[in-house]
C-alpha cells in the first residue's frame, strides 16, 4: 500500500525515506530550491523549499515525508517567505542581471520572476568580491555566489578534487579555491569537471564565445523554472 | 617539490597524531607560534593531514580567535557584552587605543599590537573584561588600562605581567544543594556502580533531571537513547562552550567543582556504556585548561578514569579536553560535534540526532556542564530525593549568573520555582526596569512580570540573568544582542546569514536617527522570517530580544523615529559631497532638493 501526504490539499504518494520535496516533484508538484540537487544528499541551506508541515516550518528537501501530513507550500504565506529569501540573496551579493552572461539560464533570476520579486526591498550590501580570471578556461565571478555549495560538493564528492571550500563566517562567508595563491589556475580544476557545470547562478563561467545563445532565447526565457524543473523531472524518471 | 614543515609545527602535528579530527586543535597550537596563521602554515598543515588546503582555510576562517592575517604580538580583545558596555568598556578601549596610537580593529604599524572587541567572555560579574593573547583579565579600570599600555609598550611578556591581573573570582553568593556538596572524588561513581548500569539509569529516570543548557530535555531519556543506539564506541561530550551572553556559571563549576563535572561525565559513561569523553571548552576559558588537566591526571591516578574504572572490568573511559576558538554557534550540539571533528562549526541537519549519529557517526551524548555536575547529587542521594526539590516539572536547583545593575553580581543557586522578584531582592537590585533571562536568546521581562518564576514551565534559562535599572535604554540592550547574533551567525542558511545582518542594519539605522515607522514593519517581518525559516536555534532565537523589547518597551524605539512614513538610511544630499568636491561646485544646482515644497 502506498503511503501519502497532502500537499496543498492534493494527495502525494511517497516511498520510505523520501523527502517532501522529492516526493512532490515526482508527483508533478513544484517546490522551489537552489541548493538541492537530485544527485546529492540534501543540503538545506538556501531554505527556498521551506514548507509548513503539520503546522511547523521545515525544509522540504531535508524532511522525510510522513503519512497523513498536511503540507502547505504554494500559499501566499510560504511564497511570501520565499520572495523574502530571494530578496535577501539578491541584496547580499552583486547581481547585475542585464550584463550577466548567465542571464536567462540563472536559477536565482528565474526564481525572482517565478515569485514575482519586483524590488530588492532591502539595502544592498555591495560586498567586495574580486573576480578570478586566472584559469585558462573558466572565470570565477564570486559576486553572484549564493553559497549553495554545489560546486564544493561536486568537486569533493564526484570529481575527487576538493577545488572549492567555504571560509569566513556569517555575512562574511565566502568561497575559496584549493591553492595557497588563492587562484583557480593553481588548482587541478578542469572545465570538464562536474563542478564546472553545476553552478545554478553565474559564478563559474566558461571562457570563449560569450552570449552564444542570445538573451531572449535561453532556458528561462522560454519557460518558467517551475515548468522546466517539472519537465526535467519527468524526463529523468 | 614539498618542503618539510618547520620543526615547531612538525612537533605540534606529531603531538596531535596527524589526525584530521584534531585540525582545530592544531590550528590553535600553530597560531601560538607566530600569533597568526600565515598561508604557508595552512599549506603545511593540509599536506601533513592529507586534507585539501581549502578545507583547512575554511576552518581557519570560521573561528574568531584564529587569524589568517597578522594580528600583533599582543592581541587585545575587549569583551563586548551589554554588561561590559554598562561598565564603560568603550571608554577604556578608546583610552587604550589612544595610548598606543592605534585604531580599533587594525594592527599597529610596527606589528606590535591590535585592539578589537569580542563577544561576551563570561566575566560579566567582574567586568569590564578583556582577553590578551587568549588570557582573561577582569575588573578593568583606567588605572589598569594605563599599566597595560605601558607593559605592551615595553613589550613585557605576558608571564611577567602582575599575576593579580589574571585572578578571576568565583563570586558565589548563594549556595544550595550542588554548591554546598562536599564529596570525595569517586564517591558518586562508586554509588552508581554499586547500583549496576540499569539501576543507575533507573535512578536518573526517577530524578526527572532536565538539561541545564536551557532546552530542558530529559537527561535520562537522552542517555537511554544513546545506550540503546547501535554502535560500539559511544561518546560523552560535556558542552562547556558557554557562550550565551551573560552566562558564567560553567566557568565557576569548572574552576572550583571540576571533580563533580568529570565525575558526572563518568556517571554518564557508566549509564550509556561509553568509552570516550570530551570536554569542549570554550576558547575564552582556556586559562582553566592547566588546572583541568591536573584534575584529570589525578583522577586517572585514582583509577576514576582509564581502563577498568574503579576496578570494574570492561568499564574503560577517559576524557580529553578540546578547545573552542570563539564561535557561539558551537554551543549548538551538532555544531559542537562538527567542531570536535575538526570542521567548521555548522549545525547539522537533524534527524539523525547525535544520540544515534554524533561524533564520527557514533552515538553521542552532549550534556551541559551543570547537568553533569547535578548527576553526582542523584548518584549520592537517589533520584527520588532529587525529584522532591524544585517544582513538579523542574526538579532540583538552578545556577543563575547574575550581572548588570545590582549590588552583588555573581553565582546564585536556587531551587527551581524562585520568583524574579526574590532574586532581584537577594542580589540587591533596585529601580529595576527589566531583566534579560537566558541571555541574548532568552526573554526580556518587564517589571509587571517579576512575579514569574524560574522554571522550564514558566521562564526557562541556561542561567544568564542580566539586570537593567531605570537609567538603561532597552533599545540599546536589544541592539547589542542583534549585533551579537549577526557576528555569531555561522552563515550556513540564508535567513540567518542575511537576516541577522539586515536586522543589525535596521537597528543601526534607528540608532543613527534615520528611523521610520516603515522600518518597524520591516523589523517585524524579519523577526518572523528568522523565527520560521532558520536552520538552527541561533537564527530562530536571534530576533527574541527585538520581539520582546518592541512589545514591552516600544517607546524606546518610537522616540528614535523621525518619520511616520519612509526615511532613507542615509542623507541624499550629503552623499553628493564627494562629487561636489571633485567638481569644485557648491552652487544650489549642485545640491539635491529633498523636499518638494522647497522648490520655487
Amino acid at each position: 500500500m502506498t503511503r501519502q501526504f497532502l500537499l496543498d490539499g492534493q494527495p502525494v504518494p511517497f516511498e520510505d525515506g523520501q523527502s517532501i520535496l522529492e516526493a512532490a516533484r515526482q508527483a508533478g508538484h513544484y517546490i522551489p530550491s537552489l541548493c538541492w540537487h537530485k544527485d546529492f544528499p540534501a543540503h538545506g541551506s538556501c531554505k527556498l523549499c521551506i514548507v509548513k508541515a503539520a503546522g511547523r516550518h521545515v525544509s522540504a528537501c531535508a524532511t522525510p515525508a510522513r503519512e497523513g501530513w498536511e503540507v502547505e507550500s504554494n500559499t501566499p504565506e510560504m511564497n511570501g517567505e520565499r520572495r523574502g529569501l530571494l530578496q535577501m540573496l539578491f541584496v547580499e551579493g552583486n547581481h547585475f542581471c542585464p550584463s550577466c552572461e548567465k542571464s536567462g539560464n540563472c536559477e536565482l533570476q528565474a526564481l525572482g520572476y517565478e515569485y514575482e520579486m519586483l524590488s530588492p526591498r532591502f539595502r544592498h550590501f555591495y560586498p567586495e568580491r574580486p573576480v578570478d580570471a586566472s584559469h585558462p578556461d573558466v572565470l570565477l565571478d564570486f559576486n553572484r555566489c549564493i553559497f549553495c555549495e554545489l560546486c564544493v560538493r561536486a568537486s569533493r564528492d564526484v570529481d575527487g578534487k576538493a577545488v572549492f571550500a567555504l571560509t569566513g563566517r556569517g555575512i562574511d562567508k565566502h568561497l575559496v579555491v584549493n591553492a595557497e595563491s588563492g587562484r583557480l589556475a593553481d588548482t587541478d580544476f578542469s572545465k570538464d569537471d562536474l563542478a564546472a557545470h553545476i553552478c545554478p547562478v553565474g559564478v563559474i563561467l566558461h571562457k570563449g564565445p560569450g552570449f552564444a545563445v542570445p538573451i531572449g532565447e535561453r532556458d528561462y526565457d522560454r519557460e518558467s523554472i517551475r515548468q522546466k524543473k517539472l519537465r526535467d523531472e519527468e524526463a529523468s524518471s | 617539490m614539498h618542503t618539510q614543515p618547520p620543526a615547531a609545527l612538525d612537533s605540534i602535528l606529531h603531538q596531535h597524531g596527524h589526525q584530521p579530527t584534531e585540525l582545530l586543535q592544531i590550528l590553535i597550537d600553530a597560531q601560538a607560534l607566530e600569533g597568526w596563521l600565515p598561508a604557508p602554515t595552512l599549506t603545511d598543515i593540509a599536506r601533513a593531514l592529507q586534507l585539501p588546503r581549502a578545507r583547512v582555510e575554511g576552518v581557519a576562517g570560521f573561528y574568531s580567535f584564529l587569524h589568517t592575517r597578522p594580528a600583533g604580538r599582543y592581541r587585545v580583545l575587549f569583551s563586548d557584552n551589554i554588561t561590559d558596555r554598562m561598565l564603560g568598556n568603550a571608554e577604556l578601549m578608546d583610552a587604550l587605543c589612544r595610548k598606543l596610537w592605534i585604531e580599533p580593529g587594525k594592527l599597529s604599524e610596527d606589528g606590535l599590537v591590535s585592539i578589537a572587541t569580542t563577544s561576551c567572555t563570561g566575566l560579566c560579574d567582574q567586568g569590564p573584561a578583556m582577553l590578551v593573547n587568549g588570557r582573561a583579565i577582569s575588573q578593568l579600570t583606567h588605572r589598569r588600562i594605563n599599566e597595560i599600555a605601558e607593559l605592551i609598550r615595553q613589550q613585557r611578556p605576558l608571564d611577567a605581567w602582575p599575576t593579580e591581573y589574571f585572578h578571576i573570582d568565583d563570586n558565589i553568593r548563594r549556595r544550595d544543594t550542588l554548591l554546598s556538596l562536599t564529596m570525595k572524588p569517586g564517591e558518586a561513581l562508586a554509588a552508581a556502580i554499586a547500583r549496576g548500569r540499569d539501576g543507575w539509569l533507573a535512578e536518573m529516570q526517577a530524578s526527572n533531571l532536565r538539561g541545564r543548557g536551557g532546552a530542558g530535555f530529559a537527561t535520562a531519556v537522552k542517555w537511554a537513547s544513546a545506550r540503546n543506539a547501535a554502535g560500539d564506541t559511544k561518546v560523552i561530550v560535556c558542552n562547556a562552550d558557554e557562550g550565551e551572553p551573560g552566562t558564567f556559571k560553567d566557568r565557576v563549576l569548572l574552576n572550583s567543582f571540576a571533580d563533580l563535572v568529570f565525575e558526572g561525565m563518568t556517571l554518564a559513561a557508566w549509564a550509556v556504556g561509553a568509552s570516550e569523553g570530551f570536554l569542549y571548552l570554550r576558547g575564552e576559558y582556556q586559562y582553566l585548561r592547566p588546572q583541568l588537566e591536573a584534575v584529570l591526571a589525578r583522577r586517572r591516578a585514582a583509577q576514576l578514569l582509564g581502563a577498568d574504572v574503579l576496578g570494574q572490568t570492561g568499564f574503560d573511559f577517559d576524557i580529553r579536553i578540546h578547545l573552542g576558538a570563539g564561535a557561539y554557534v558551537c554551543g549548538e550540539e551538532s555544531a559542537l560535534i562538527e567542531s570536535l571533528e575538526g570542521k567548521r562549526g555548522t549545525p547539522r541537519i537533524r534527524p539523525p540526532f547525535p544520540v544515534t549519529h554524533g561524533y564520527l557517526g557514533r552515538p553521542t551524548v552532549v550534556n551541559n556542564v551543570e547537568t553533569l555536575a547535578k548527576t553526582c547529587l542523584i548518584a549520592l542521594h537517589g533520584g527520588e530525593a532529587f525529584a522532591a526539590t524544585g517544582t513538579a516539572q523542574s526538579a532540583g536547583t538552578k545556577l543563575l549568573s547574575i550581572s548588570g545593575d545590582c549590588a552583588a553580581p555573581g553565582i546564585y543557586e536556587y531551587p527551581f520555582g524562585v520568583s524574579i522578584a526574590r532574586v532581584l531582592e537577594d542580589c540587591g537590585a533596585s529601580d529595576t526596569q527589566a531583566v534579560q533571562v537566558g541571555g541574548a536568546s532568552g526573554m526580556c521581562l518587564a517589571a509587571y512580570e517579576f512575579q514569574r518564576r524560574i522554571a522550564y514551565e514558566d521562564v526557562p534559562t541556561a542561567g544568564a540573568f542580566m539586570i537593567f535599572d531605570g537609567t538603561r535604554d532597552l533599545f540599546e540592550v536589544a541592539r547589542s544582542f542583534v549585533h551579537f547574533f549577526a557576528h555569531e551567525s555561522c552563515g550556513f542558511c540564508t535567513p540567518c546569514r542575511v537576516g541577522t545582518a539586515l536586522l543589525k542594519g535596521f537597528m543601526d539605522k534607528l540608532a543613527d536617527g534615520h528611523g521610520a515607522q516603515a522600518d518597524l514593519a520591516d523589523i517585524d517581518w524579519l523577526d518572523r522570517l528568522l523565527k520560521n525559516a532558520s536552520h538552527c536555534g541561533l537564527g530562530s532565537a536571534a530576533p527574541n530580544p527585538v520581539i520582546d523589547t518592541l512589545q514591552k518597551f516600544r517607546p524606546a524605539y518610537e522616540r528614535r523615529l523621525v518619520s511616520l512614513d519612509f526615511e532613507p538610511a542615509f542623507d541624499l544630499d550629503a552623499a553628493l559631497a564627494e562629487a561636489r568636491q571633485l567638481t569644485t561646485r557648491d552652487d544650489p544646482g549642485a545640491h539635491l532638493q529633498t523636499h518638494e515644497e522647497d522648490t520655487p
Side-chain angles (χ1 to χ4, degrees):
Chain A
M1 206 181 81
T2 39
R3 302 190 297 159
Q4 62 179 42
F5 64 93
L6 288 178
L7 178 68
D8 297 325
Q10 302 195 52
V12 172
F14 69 93
E15 292 148 31
D16 256 338
Q18 219 173 12
S19 70
I20 295 173
L21 186 141
E22 286 170 303
R25 290 237 182 137
Q26 213 166 59
H29 303 284
Y30 179 66
I31 295 175
S33 64
L34 279 167
C35 69
W36 182 80
H37 191 291
K38 61 177 172 43
D39 298 335
F40 291 91
H43 196 241
S45 67
C46 74
K47 299 293 169 196
L48 262 289
C49 69
I50 189 160
V51 293
K52 223 194 233 179
R56 271 185 59 229
H57 282 70
V58 296
S59 303
C61 72
T63 308
R66 269 207 226 162
E67 170 76 28
W69 254 1
E70 293 188 339
V71 177
E72 300 167 47
S73 175
N74 193 10
T75 64
E77 184 194 4
M78 302 322 296
N79 289 342
E81 292 188 0
R82 287 170 185 147
R83 196 180 308 121
L85 292 166
L86 288 166
Q87 287 164 321
M88 286 181 170
L89 289 171
F90 268 99
V91 299
E92 174 191 27
N94 300 309
H95 298 275
F96 304 109
C97 298
S99 64
C100 179
E101 155 66 58
K102 202 68 180 281
S103 185
N105 290 328
C106 169
E107 297 192 13
L108 179 66
Q109 183 194 36
L111 284 168
Y113 282 115
E114 181 68 26
Y115 288 95
E116 296 173 336
M117 193 192 117
L118 300 176
S119 80
R121 177 170 182 170
F122 304 112
R123 284 172 78 178
H124 285 271
F125 287 84
Y126 296 125
E128 227 183 284
R129 298 185 189 164
V131 301
D132 177 354
S134 62
H135 195 275
D137 304 316
V138 167
L139 170 83
L140 295 181
D141 189 339
F142 298 108
N143 287 295
R144 301 152 186 169
C145 185
I146 55 166
F147 312 110
C148 67
E149 294 186 57
L150 276 169
C151 60
V152 175
R153 293 180 273 161
S155 184
R156 182 188 63 208
D157 302 340
V158 179
D159 303 329
K161 292 183 178 178
V163 169
F164 300 101
L166 291 171
T167 191
R169 189 172 82 195
I171 200 72
D172 299 320
K173 188 170 83 162
H174 59 278
L175 197 61
V176 289
V177 299
N178 194 28
E180 189 178 306
S181 66
R183 286 158 27 107
L184 188 64
D186 297 330
T187 69
D188 53 354
F189 183 72
S190 145
K191 67 177 186 337
D192 302 319
D193 289 351
L194 178 62
H197 301 272
I198 206 162
C199 182
V201 293
V203 178
I204 302 175
L205 297 170
H206 290 254
K207 292 182 177 177
F211 298 92
V213 179
I215 285 179
E217 295 172 25
R218 298 178 168 199
D219 287 352
Y220 304 118
D221 298 329
R222 296 169 184 280
E223 59 188 339
S224 72
I225 189 165
R226 174 188 300 268
Q227 292 165 324
K228 181 169 176 351
K229 291 287 175 186
L230 289 177
R231 206 165 45 75
D232 291 350
E233 179 72 41
E234 215 173 341
S236 72
S237 63
Chain B
M1 215 178 63
H2 292 172
T3 48
Q4 275 295 308
L9 181 59
D10 204 43
S11 101
I12 289 170
L13 288 160
H14 267 284
Q15 236 174 296
H16 293 281
H18 290 83
Q19 290 295 315
T21 48
E22 292 287 297
L23 176 56
L24 176 57
Q25 308 307 300
I26 291 168
L27 289 169
I28 291 169
D29 290 350
Q31 175 163 281
L33 299 176
E34 293 185 52
W36 68 296
L37 294 163
T41 301
L42 298 185
T43 308
D44 286 338
I45 292 171
R47 194 173 294 140
L49 302 184
Q50 297 181 320
L51 289 173
R53 186 189 185 281
R55 196 186 130 195
V56 176
E57 189 178 352
V59 173
F62 185 85
Y63 296 91
S64 291
F65 293 164
L66 297 179
H67 309 286
T68 50
R69 290 203 197 103
R73 265 170 287 155
Y74 293 90
R75 299 172 299 283
V76 181
L77 292 171
F78 279 85
S79 178
D80 199 25
N81 187 25
I82 184 69
T83 53
D84 295 291
R85 291 188 187 182
M86 283 155 57
L87 294 165
N89 72 337
E91 292 78 18
L92 294 169
M93 177 161 143
D94 191 47
L96 187 61
C97 283
R98 272 186 287 113
K99 280 187 206 318
L100 293 170
W101 287 87
I102 62 170
E103 276 179 70
K106 290 202 178 135
L107 176 62
S108 63
E109 279 183 22
D110 55 2
L112 180 67
V113 55
S114 65
I115 299 174
T117 57
T118 187
S119 300
C120 179
T121 54
L123 293 163
C124 323
D125 54 332
Q126 47 204 294
M130 63 157 60
L131 300 173
V132 183
N133 295 357
R135 292 181 65 181
I137 301 178
S138 67
Q139 300 182 51
L140 293 174
T141 56
H142 277 283
R143 185 175 161 187
R144 194 165 269 193
I145 286 290
N146 286 344
E147 292 166 6
I148 288 170
E150 202 48 46
L151 288 165
I152 290 175
R153 234 180 324 217
Q154 292 169 4
Q155 308 194 22
R156 209 76 88 69
L158 231 53
D159 288 334
W161 289 22
T163 48
E164 70 263 23
Y165 281 16
F166 304 104
H167 175 77
I168 305 293
D169 288 314
D170 275 352
N171 286 332
I172 297 173
R173 311 284 187 184
R174 188 182 194 280
R175 291 172 195 266
D176 209 295
T177 46
L178 183 69
L179 297 182
S180 55
L181 176 66
T182 46
M183 176 191 94
K184 270 212 334 270
E187 211 177 324
L189 196 54
I193 288 175
R195 287 189 175 100
R197 289 182 199 268
D198 292 329
W200 166 225
L201 197 55
E203 288 299 333
M204 279 295 294
Q205 263 144 5
S207 76
N208 289 330
L209 175 67
R210 295 169 68 176
R212 259 45 173 178
F217 194 79
T219 309
V221 173
K222 201 183 252 189
W223 288 11
S225 309
R227 179 194 190 173
N228 297 332
D232 288 342
T233 324
K234 295 176 181 174
V235 183
I236 305 295
V237 179
C238 174
N239 183 348
D241 192 41
E242 182 179 51
E244 190 64 55
T247 315
F248 47 87
K249 66 180 176 63
D250 294 347
R251 180 197 87 211
V252 174
L253 286 174
L254 292 168
N255 187 46
S256 299
F257 300 86
D259 264 305
L260 295 186
V261 179
F262 291 138
E263 187 130 345
M265 290 178 72
T266 318
L267 286 166
W270 173 242
V272 169
S275 54
E276 206 172 350
F278 290 101
L279 176 80
Y280 188 100
L281 185 66
R282 73 184 301 223
E284 288 82 346
Y285 294 170
Q286 64 158 290
Y287 67 90
L288 291 171
R289 186 174 188 159
Q291 67 191 68
L292 291 170
E293 295 283 10
V295 174
L296 286 176
R298 174 163 54 69
R299 293 183 69 87
R300 278 183 204 112
Q303 232 197 336
L304 299 172
L305 287 173
D308 299 336
V309 172
L310 280 183
Q312 277 295 306
T313 315
F315 180 22
D316 305 338
F317 182 69
D318 211 331
I319 298 169
R320 275 191 293 158
I321 296 175
H322 185 108
L323 269 184
Y328 166 74
V329 70
C330 291
E332 196 278 345
E333 62 177 4
S334 68
L336 183 148
I337 289 168
E338 288 283 298
S339 184
L340 270 182
E341 293 181 1
K343 298 177 186 160
R344 294 163 60 81
T346 302
R348 294 175 176 174
I349 291 173
R350 303 186 303 171
F353 291 94
V355 284
T356 57
H357 296 80
Y359 178 69
L360 301 177
R362 302 171 190 162
T364 303
V365 166
V366 182
N367 282 146
N368 179 269
V369 173
E370 185 183 347
T371 312
L372 289 163
K374 292 260 158 76
T375 62
C376 294
L377 288 170
I378 298 163
L380 289 171
H381 309 310
E384 260 177 55
F386 188 87
T389 57
T391 72
Q393 288 180 56
S394 312
T397 63
K398 184 78 196 86
L399 301 192
L400 298 180
S401 315
I402 297 184
S403 63
D405 295 314
C406 65
I411 295 293
Y412 291 71
E413 182 184 14
Y414 287 102
F416 268 116
V418 67
S419 73
I420 306 290
R422 163 80 197 279
V423 176
L424 287 172
E425 195 182 313
D426 287 357
C427 69
S430 56
D431 182 31
T432 304
Q433 184 184 186
V435 181
Q436 183 78 22
V437 185
S441 66
M443 295 162 104
C444 184
L445 301 178
Y448 65 84
E449 298 169 285
F450 290 171
Q451 288 313 314
R452 293 182 67 178
R453 300 179 309 152
I454 301 286
Y456 295 105
E457 62 270 32
D458 191 356
V459 182
T461 174
F465 194 102
M466 289 178 275
I467 303 166
F468 305 101
D469 71 17
T471 66
R472 307 295 176 184
D473 181 346
L474 270 300
F475 169 82
E476 283 301 336
V477 172
R479 189 165 79 101
S480 87
F481 293 148
V482 166
H483 276 242
F484 166 77
F485 284 117
H487 181 258
E488 297 297 342
S489 168
C490 81
F492 173 75
C493 72
T494 310
C496 179
R497 182 181 68 245
V498 189
T500 54
L502 286 171
L503 202 52
K504 175 179 155 183
F506 277 116
M507 295 295 275
D508 289 351
K509 184 180 180 218
L510 261 63
D512 292 343
H514 296 296
Q517 198 71 43
D519 296 323
L520 296 189
D522 276 330
I523 287 173
D524 199 47
W525 185 88
L526 273 175
D527 286 347
R528 252 179 303 130
L529 190 65
L530 271 163
K531 265 227 162 317
N532 289 339
S534 294
H535 177 66
C536 80
L538 190 156
S540 54
N544 286 354
V546 183
I547 293 173
D548 277 356
T549 50
L550 252 179
Q551 190 200 338
K552 297 169 190 171
F553 302 95
R554 202 172 176 91
Y557 287 76
E558 284 175 337
R559 76 172 73 105
R560 291 185 155 79
L561 305 182
V562 291
S563 153
L564 290 180
D565 189 21
F566 173 77
E567 178 73 17
F570 61 103
D571 181 338
L572 288 169
D573 186 57
L576 287 174
E578 199 181 343
R580 280 193 294 268
Q581 202 185 4
L582 286 169
T583 53
T584 64
R585 279 181 59 182
D586 200 22
D587 55 286
H591 285 272
L592 265 184
Q593 297 288 350
T594 48
H595 299 284
E596 285 293 321
E597 56 272 23
D598 291 347
T599 38

